Amino acid sequence: MNKIKAIALSLAATAGTVTPALSQEAMTIDQQVNAVFAQVTGPFVSLIFSPFPGTNFPWIVMWLVVAATLFTFYFAFVQARFFGHAISLVKGDYSDPNDAGEVSHFQALTTALSGTVGLGNIAGVAVAVGIGGPGATFWMILAGLLGMASKFTECTLGVKYRNEYEDGTVSGGPMYYISKGFKELGLPGGRILAVLFSVFCILGALGGGNMFQANQAHEQISGIVGAYPGWITGIIFAGVVFAVIVGGIKSIANVTERVVPFMGILYVVAALVILIVNYDKIGWAFGQIFEGAFTGLGVAGGMVGALIQGFKRAAFSNEAGVGSAAIAHSAVRTKEPITEGFVSLLEPFIDTVVICTMTALVIVITGQLILDPETGRYVLNEAGTAISTIDGNSGVSLTSAAFGSAISWFPFVLAIAVVLFAFSTMISWSYYGLKAWTYLFGEGKNKELVFKILFCVFIVIGAAASLGPVIDFSDAAIFSMAVVNIFALYFLMKLVKKELVSYSSRLESGEIKKFKH
């Protein structure tokens, strides 16, 4: 987050539109605001991301991974048993056009994916591999596979307890299934938990799902065309985003069903080209991943260090258990809630198992991590906290350098991908924040418009301002959603089990049939 702060301050210094005295005063005020905000929110941020004593393993990551593991066993490895059926559902084989809902299974999947596939797949994976070594990839894949069960659980409930309105629109997500589900089971506190989730969701949508994305998009664009004021990027993005989100979930889905496959295919094809060119190293790379997963190959923290980085990256990338995706999946056209649970389990697979793994393989195969040829172990930096890399790259610059070493013009493609990722993430999180907003303040076009305008104003702020403590706080808010959501899922998962048993029996008996389109 300090990097974001430095970029914003640098851009402010080079804008040249104010006098030095005014610029210095503005920077001083900005720093004062940041300091006060950090002081007020610091304890909350530290609480959410604090590690277990004596480790650097955040407890929130363990909270997510333990839940994913429990759901995997409770539903008897549903992610493996119904993977093929999930693909059939996405293809529309079982879709009845007369069912209630606003979007197709495919559109719901791409909308949710656009909220998770982003900078974390590019920069976050590079950080994980840079610190935890290739072995972090193994644990990242494992956590992604387990996370599929978390998505299945929350998205099934999202459809089951959604509100369906006379005009054909729907509202769903954790705030609805927590309040309704707890009431159905006769449990207290459902409304309080739902309100708490909604507040965290709005804060996360305005910060990590908005301002951070705008800031990163501006960084990538200015890196190509040269430095210029961030508010220009902000206004352009705000205009485009508003034009999309003003049309509601159908408009958002129409964009994401085109943008997400395009950017995903673009990124994966580029990675495949590099893997094909270096096909003779693929076996060696997987050997590094498996060996590093259990020995560490000399990285900081050894095997445990690799495990921590892999689990952390997967948890922060696919957001399984956070509850955000359940809001998008709730809008699907279906009368069988469980079907969207099946579709949603594809999301962590695509996000983490496919795209994140591609990034890690490219970094390893292109030799960006410095390996000692005599010992076969990775060389650590002077501080001993991460693996030394060629030219000292880390984060998004490490991924860019890895792709650029094989395809000279790829850094430009990567910049475009980051901008598209940021754009798609913003429009998805605008919907998440909107549904939390309407849960708290009620449905209505005017109330929705207030939030949409507010969201776009924050895009401009995010692209132009120094936002370190604000982004830290919004990230903490997003993972606070997971604290509330997973706590509720432990009580509600038996309702999902009932849906699964019923649907499975009807599918096997032939009662549930494919539709001819």
Side-chain angles (χ1 to χ4, degrees):
M1 297 308 168
N2 289 332
K3 182 180 179 184
I4 297 172
K5 204 180 222 178
I7 293 167
L9 292 175
S10 174
L11 288 173
T14 57
T17 57
V18 293
T19 64
L22 288 175
S23 177
Q24 184 176 2
E25 182 183 352
M27 287 175 64
T28 302
I29 293 173
D30 179 61
Q31 289 172 341
Q32 289 175 349
V33 171
N34 274 333
V36 171
F37 192 86
Q39 188 174 8
V40 173
T41 63
F44 170 69
V45 175
S46 298
L47 173 65
I48 296 300
F49 294 119
S50 62
F52 288 108
T55 73
N56 62 345
F57 196 179
W59 71 268
I60 189 66
V61 174
M62 182 63 76
W63 176 256
L64 292 164
V65 173
V66 168
T69 305
L70 189 148
F71 296 141
T72 295
F73 284 102
Y74 184 74
F75 295 112
F77 294 88
V78 64
Q79 57 266 67
R81 293 191 295 126
F82 286 92
F83 189 88
H85 186 63
I87 294 174
S88 295
L89 288 165
V90 171
K91 288 164 56 183
D93 292 348
Y94 295 86
S95 298
D96 184 348
N98 297 317
D99 285 341
E102 299 184 74
V103 297
S104 68
H105 286 296
F106 178 72
Q107 289 176 320
L109 177 64
T110 55
T111 300
L113 270 173
S114 69
T116 57
V117 175
L119 199 67
N121 304 80
I122 299 172
V125 173
V127 171
V129 173
I131 298 174
T137 309
F138 174 86
W139 300 110
M140 181 177 67
I141 293 171
L142 178 61
L145 292 172
L146 293 172
M148 293 165 72
S150 297
K151 284 282 172 117
F152 163 78
T153 308
E154 61 192 7
C155 292
T156 297
L157 290 167
V159 179
K160 181 176 175 62
Y161 290 105
R162 67 186 179 181
N163 283 357
E164 299 175 2
Y165 304 108
E166 291 181 0
D167 62 357
T169 61
V170 299
S171 290
M175 49 279 191
Y176 291 94
Y177 64 67
I178 292 173
S179 57
K180 290 183 177 181
F182 271 48
K183 184 177 181 180
E184 183 179 315
L185 295 174
L187 298 172
R191 174 67 177 171
I192 296 173
L193 289 173
V195 168
L196 194 59
F197 179 90
S198 298
V199 171
F200 288 143
C201 185
I202 291 170
L203 293 172
L206 294 176
N210 180 337
M211 291 190 289
F212 175 69
Q213 305 299 325
N215 202 292
Q216 291 299 298
H218 176 69
E219 180 186 355
Q220 287 299 311
I221 296 171
S222 60
I224 294 176
V225 303
Y228 67 95
W231 60 264
I232 297 176
T233 300
I235 289 175
I236 294 172
F237 259 81
V240 176
V241 168
F242 185 78
V244 173
I245 68 176
V246 74
I249 185 62
K250 290 183 179 179
S251 176
I252 293 171
N254 286 334
V255 173
T256 58
E257 74 172 342
R258 291 170 174 82
V259 173
V260 172
F262 170 75
M263 66 186 185
I265 291 171
L266 175 70
Y267 191 76
V268 170
V269 167
L272 285 173
V273 169
I274 293 176
L275 296 181
I276 292 170
V277 171
N278 297 277
Y279 71 93
D280 56 322
K281 297 180 181 177
I282 293 177
W284 169 80
F286 275 107
Q288 292 287 292
I289 289 172
F290 285 107
E291 187 178 351
F294 299 102
T295 67
L297 287 174
V299 302
M303 171 188 164
V304 175
L307 183 148
I308 290 171
Q309 291 302 319
F311 277 3
K312 185 190 296 186
R313 180 66 268 136
F316 290 177
S317 177
N318 61 49
E319 296 174 10
V322 170
S324 52
I327 301 173
H329 285 284
S330 297
V332 72
R333 282 190 298 270
T334 185
K335 60 177 176 290
E336 298 281 357
I338 203 80
T339 58
E340 197 55 26
F342 295 140
V343 170
S344 69
L345 61 77
L346 295 174
E347 196 183 320
F349 183 84
I350 296 169
D351 176 278
T352 306
V353 179
V354 177
I355 298 179
C356 286
T357 302
M358 286 288 187
T359 302
L361 280 173
V362 169
I363 291 172
V364 174
I365 281 178
T366 55
Q368 296 300 308
L369 307 177
I370 298 177
L371 196 66
D372 187 332
E374 294 184 5
T375 63
R377 300 170 76 82
Y378 288 96
V379 178
L380 299 181
N381 58 16
E382 291 183 5
T385 56
I387 298 172
S388 295
T389 60
I390 297 175
D391 298 329
N393 291 312
S394 63
V396 70
S397 60
L398 176 58
T399 304
S400 182
F403 279 93
S405 67
I407 307 174
S408 60
W409 44 265
F410 187 79
F412 294 100
V413 177
L414 186 65
I416 294 171
V418 169
V419 171
L420 286 176
F421 284 151
F423 169 68
S424 65
T425 298
M426 282 190 281
I427 62 176
S428 290
W429 271 94
S430 73
Y431 182 70
Y432 301 160
L434 174 65
K435 288 304 169 182
W437 179 274
T438 56
Y439 180 82
L440 293 177
F441 301 108
E443 303 284 345
K445 295 293 182 183
N446 291 335
K447 293 175 182 177
E448 290 185 5
L449 187 60
V450 169
F451 177 80
K452 290 172 182 177
I453 293 173
L454 181 68
F455 189 86
C456 291
V457 168
F458 272 79
I459 293 176
V460 180
I461 296 172
S466 174
L467 298 162
V470 176
I471 298 300
D472 288 343
F473 175 71
S474 71
D475 283 348
I478 288 175
F479 286 97
S480 295
M481 291 162 60
V483 176
V484 177
N485 185 48
I486 288 175
F487 175 78
L489 291 181
Y490 285 140
F491 293 97
L492 301 174
M493 63 184 184
K494 60 184 178 183
L495 300 173
V496 179
K497 187 69 166 285
K498 189 183 297 183
E499 293 278 342
L500 178 59
V501 171
S502 171
Y503 185 86
S504 299
S505 62
R506 286 181 288 128
L507 184 64
E508 290 174 7
S509 68
E511 182 181 340
I512 295 176
K513 297 180 175 65
K514 292 184 178 181
F515 279 86
K516 293 181 180 180
H517 297 281

